[in-house]
Amino acid sequence: MKVPRPVIKRMPVYYRCLERLKNEGVKYVSSQKLARRLHLKDSQIRKDLSHFGKFGKRGVGYEVESLLNDITKILGLHKQWKVIVIGAGNIGKAIARFRALEKNNFKVVAVFDTDKRKIGTELLPGLKILDMASLRDFVGREGADLAILAVPASSAQAVANDLQKAGIRGILCFAPVTLNCAIPVEYVDITAFLKTLAYSVLTEKYNV
Amino acid sequence: MKVPRPVIKRMPVYYRCLERLKNEGVKYVSSQKLARRLHLKDSQIRKDLSHFGKFGKRGVGYEVESLLNDITKILGLHKQWKVIVIGAGNIGKAIARFRALEKNNFKVVAVFDTDKRKIGTELLPGLKILDMASLRDFVGREGADLAILAVPASSAQAVANDLQKAGIRGILCFAPVTLNCAIPVEYVDITAFLKTLAYSVLTEKYNV
DNA sequence: AATATGTTGTGAAAGCTTTAACGAAAAACG
DNA sequence: CGTTTTTCGTTAAAGCTTTCACAACATATT
């Protein structure tokens, strides 16, 4: 049975909260305590988890470490994902250098660009910017699962087509466009988040 | 009457699509044509827009430029928003240098950090990294509406408290935490997007 | 051993969002 | 000038998600 998208979007939120609790040395947590931390309803958390199995103990709650492991498996984070970054502009470079990815088992294995002046530059030890023309070869040879698309909107669709042909299985798209793709795509339009935020600021009720 | 959040999240998507159409020189567009571009249902687009007024002409569609102007007003993008960036790490620096913000009427007026070695560095002409200790003074003196929070999760809540006290009205949070705030917050957890993407890749139906 | 307290998992109800359907208006055409 | 085609705005229905409410279980307490 298909799991609703809102549920899937909340799983990483549970994940990071449990990670935190684990670091704080907490052994058990109830849906109620989680709910208070995350501004959700306890019943929603229980219902969400119930889509994947039974993880809690009545009268006790959830064992933090074991639930974290279960969610790790659900999200497929127990094996490492090879990620390539396309576009070595501001965003692309920042992502490539962003340590949180590796901590979460996403390994940036290459960065690509078309700009001759950038190609060959070393972003991190062992991570040089490669020519976009070598994308297909690279993916065929080294393998890569996911791509982070950080190119201008005008070239995003063309690059997405290349990525699919190369065998990439999912795209995280920072370009402000809607792609036509047969593989899964997640969109992160930073200006769109700011626009939503601006709207919220303008329309929020006055708080004393 | 309150506008549903899913509707608000789609408004920037309409915005960027209309912007594109305008650049392509298109004068009129129907809900059906928009829907095909955005992988939505035409009835959804009409219903979404109906929350804010009547913008179309029966038998004709929407005038691209005028609808774009209307959405600009709805989202509050006709006046410039002053934005500060907190945290001059990979993400913070990339955002501060990111030109798309200015094009969308979000002006980065300052970047803050606590690291003595970074303070004073010039990120762009006229945009130096300031001491976090001067935040409150700065916002009081120069004014700022929104903050982009790009600090580690461990300090995010403390900084968010400072931002509220300083008079910031909305936060775009890149830290992987849920904040306790009285002002609007939008979350952009990049690793969370990758996790959702990983899940989709694992569970998608096999396509021939 | 009986009672009190706490918490899960779940079926049913409530609430919300999307989609379908259609009358009304605008333009195009013969 | 009436007919056909197109498309909007809106009401109602369908579909989906969240919340409620409670039985079932677990532990602690007397």
Side-chain angles (χ1 to χ4, degrees):
Chain A
M1 69 250 110
K2 199 184 129 285
V3 178
R5 192 176 156 77
V7 175
I8 294 159
K9 293 296 273 183
R10 281 190 294 270
M11 296 307 285
V13 176
Y14 301 151
Y15 180 97
R16 74 189 187 202
C17 189
L18 289 164
E19 219 175 17
R20 192 123 199 243
L21 288 167
K22 184 184 162 189
N23 287 338
E24 289 170 9
V26 178
K27 293 284 175 229
Y28 288 90
V29 69
S30 65
S31 56
Q32 201 180 108
K33 290 217 185 78
L34 276 174
R36 266 198 290 265
R37 283 204 179 219
L38 300 173
H39 307 129
L40 299 171
K41 285 268 151 60
D42 53 357
S43 55
Q44 177 160 72
I45 294 175
R46 293 198 301 277
K47 175 70 91 176
D48 282 358
L49 294 175
S50 77
H51 285 97
F52 302 101
K54 299 180 182 185
F55 306 104
K57 215 184 204 175
R58 296 180 176 191
V60 181
Y62 302 91
E63 216 234 295
V64 170
E65 199 163 341
S66 107
L67 182 56
L68 186 57
N69 288 338
D70 289 329
I71 294 181
T72 300
K73 288 247 176 71
I74 289 165
L75 292 171
L77 306 175
H78 50 303
K79 69 136 211 170
Q80 195 175 59
W81 292 81
K82 287 188 186 179
V83 178
I84 60 176
V85 173
I86 316 293
N90 287 321
I91 303 289
K93 281 190 286 188
I95 300 283
R97 293 198 185 109
F98 190 37
R99 291 310 174 84
L101 296 199
E102 204 152 336
K103 281 185 206 127
N104 284 277
N105 236 347
F106 296 100
K107 169 93 178 160
V108 175
V109 293
V111 180
F112 294 89
D113 204 299
T114 50
D115 186 337
K116 292 274 185 281
R117 288 162 301 180
K118 288 177 181 169
I119 295 166
T121 313
E122 198 165 48
L123 279 181
L124 285 178
L127 190 66
K128 278 199 187 124
I129 298 176
L130 305 180
D131 190 337
M132 192 59 201
S134 64
L135 171 76
R136 202 153 176 189
D137 272 0
F138 180 94
V139 177
R141 198 173 61 242
E142 313 267 334
D145 310 296
L146 309 176
I148 297 181
L149 191 47
V151 302
S154 51
S155 46
Q157 182 64 58
V159 174
N161 296 344
D162 291 346
L163 290 168
Q164 287 185 95
K165 277 187 211 137
I168 290 294
R169 297 178 61 204
I171 296 175
L172 184 65
C173 180
F174 281 82
V177 284
T178 299
L179 298 174
N180 288 302
C181 269
I183 58 177
V185 183
E186 286 286 325
Y187 295 95
V188 188
D189 181 344
I190 293 171
T191 64
F193 283 102
L194 277 171
K195 286 168 190 162
T196 311
L197 183 62
Y199 179 88
S200 305
V201 168
L202 288 178
T203 55
E204 82 176 321
K205 288 193 205 74
Y206 190 81
N207 294 312
V208 181
Chain B
M1 68 252 108
K2 200 185 128 284
V3 179
R5 191 174 156 78
V7 175
I8 294 159
K9 293 296 274 183
R10 281 190 294 270
M11 296 307 284
V13 177
Y14 300 152
Y15 179 98
R16 73 190 187 201
C17 189
L18 289 163
E19 219 175 17
R20 192 123 199 244
L21 287 167
K22 184 183 163 190
N23 287 338
E24 289 170 9
V26 177
K27 294 282 176 235
Y28 288 90
V29 69
S30 65
S31 55
Q32 200 180 109
K33 289 215 184 80
L34 275 174
R36 267 199 290 265
R37 284 207 179 217
L38 301 173
H39 307 130
L40 299 171
K41 286 269 151 61
D42 53 356
S43 55
Q44 176 160 71
I45 294 176
R46 294 198 300 276
K47 169 124 272 191
D48 283 356
L49 294 175
S50 77
H51 285 98
F52 303 101
K54 299 180 182 185
F55 307 103
K57 216 184 203 177
R58 297 181 174 187
V60 181
Y62 302 91
E63 216 234 295
V64 171
E65 199 162 340
S66 105
L67 181 56
L68 186 57
N69 288 339
D70 289 328
I71 294 181
T72 300
K73 287 245 176 72
I74 289 165
L75 292 171
L77 306 174
H78 50 303
K79 71 136 211 170
Q80 195 175 58
W81 292 81
K82 287 190 188 178
V83 179
I84 59 176
V85 174
I86 317 293
N90 287 321
I91 303 289
K93 280 189 288 188
I95 300 284
R97 294 197 184 109
F98 190 38
R99 291 309 174 86
L101 296 199
E102 204 152 336
K103 281 185 205 126
N104 284 277
N105 236 348
F106 297 99
K107 169 91 178 160
V108 175
V109 293
V111 181
F112 294 89
D113 204 299
T114 49
D115 187 337
K116 292 273 185 285
R117 287 162 301 179
K118 288 178 180 168
I119 295 166
T121 314
E122 198 166 49
L123 279 181
L124 285 178
L127 189 66
K128 279 200 187 124
I129 298 176
L130 305 180
D131 190 338
M132 192 59 200
S134 64
L135 172 75
R136 201 151 176 191
D137 272 2
F138 180 94
V139 176
R141 198 172 62 243
E142 313 267 335
D145 309 296
L146 309 176
I148 297 181
L149 191 47
V151 302
S154 51
S155 47
Q157 182 63 58
V159 174
N161 296 344
D162 292 346
L163 290 169
Q164 287 185 96
K165 277 188 211 136
I168 290 293
R169 297 178 60 204
I171 296 175
L172 184 65
C173 179
F174 282 81
V177 285
T178 300
L179 298 174
N180 288 303
C181 269
I183 58 176
V185 182
E186 286 286 324
Y187 295 95
V188 187
D189 180 344
I190 293 171
T191 64
F193 283 103
L194 277 172
K195 286 167 190 162
T196 311
L197 182 62
Y199 179 87
S200 306
V201 168
L202 287 179
T203 55
E204 83 176 321
K205 288 194 206 75
Y206 190 80
N207 294 312
V208 182

